[in-house]
Amino acid sequence: MKIYIPLFSTLLLIVIFSSCRNDNPTPIRNVRFDPGLLNPAHAGGGAPCAFYNYYYDGQSKALGNVHSRMALVAFDDSYTYEQAVFAAGKHGFIESVGQEVRTNSARLYPVQLVDGLSCKQVEQAIRVLEQDPGIAYAAPYFLMDSGAGVQLLGISNEFIVTVKDHKQAGKVLERLANATRTAIVTSLSDETYILRADKNSKGNALEMANFFHEQPLIKHAEPDFVVSLEM
């Protein structure tokens, strides 16, 4: 299946891909994983895994189920890398922490999860991370076949929105941002803006992009992807 990513995202991903290339992620040591924390009962029992999609050029593009070995996390903005690793160590389902990836509004860290988690348990793990006061954002990865090879696509904290009428852009985006607890980061043109989400938003950047896409005054919205190597 071919993945379609717009010019802005493509340029950003080229930078991110090189910054994510990390052969020596920092392992979390002396952490005991409590298997009961993410047992099937807590993670939705036998319910099927959610199937995710995003929109590009007015069409829905499949992402599938969340990847079971990685998540993308933004810690408190004041944290150093060492402090981020220490904070991650409180969660026994995190095995190691990769190097930071910068977006316009956050420092994101790819974290490798312990082996053997189901996609439902990964979704539960992300909810657990969002409850940590030292974590500002957490989102899944998706394992995708782009046609040129398999890629790991992480949902960054940002999404890109294009309005139908640039004269109404400020008013429309301000109203939607307030309703979803997201924020406008910057503009790419009179019609296209970058917005950000955090754990207090109504959803992660993928969910918010899909929500904005469905609004009548929005022409297009899609999440920004982080391309990573599996650690």
Side-chain angles (χ1 to χ4, degrees), residues 49-98:
C49 295
F51 189 90
Y52 296 86
N53 71 293
Y54 73 103
Y55 289 95
Y56 176 73
D57 199 22
Q59 296 184 351
S60 177
K61 304 295 180 181
L63 288 169
N65 305 133
V66 300
H67 183 48
S68 63
R69 287 304 308 274
M70 287 182 67
L72 197 59
V73 177
F75 296 90
D76 185 288
D77 196 49
S78 66
Y79 282 13
T80 64
Y81 178 71
E82 290 72 23
Q83 289 172 317
V85 171
F86 180 80
K90 297 185 294 181
H91 302 283
F93 49 81
I94 295 179
E95 189 172 274
S96 59
V97 180

Side-chain angles (χ1 to χ4, degrees), residues 120-141:
K120 294 298 292 185
Q121 289 175 312
V122 172
E123 291 170 344
Q124 173 65 10
I126 289 172
R127 289 192 289 270
V128 170
L129 292 172
E130 289 176 333
Q131 296 170 9
D132 187 328
I135 290 177
Y137 180 77
Y141 272 87

Side-chain angles (χ1 to χ4, degrees), residues 5-14 104 158-160 186 188 192-194 223-224:
I5 300 177
L7 177 61
F8 169 76
S9 295
T10 303
L11 293 174
L12 181 59
L13 291 178
I14 292 172
N104 295 281
E158 296 180 347
F159 58 105
I160 305 164
T186 189
L188 300 176
T192 302
Y193 289 74
I194 299 174
D224 184 36

Side-chain angles (χ1 to χ4, degrees), residues 13 25 29-30 56-57 90 103 106 110-111 113 156 159 163 170 182 199 209:
L13 291 178
R29 303 187 184 279
N30 302 320
Y56 176 73
D57 199 22
K90 297 185 294 181
T103 66
V111 299
L113 308 176
S156 92
F159 58 105
V163 298
T182 56
K199 68 178 183 181

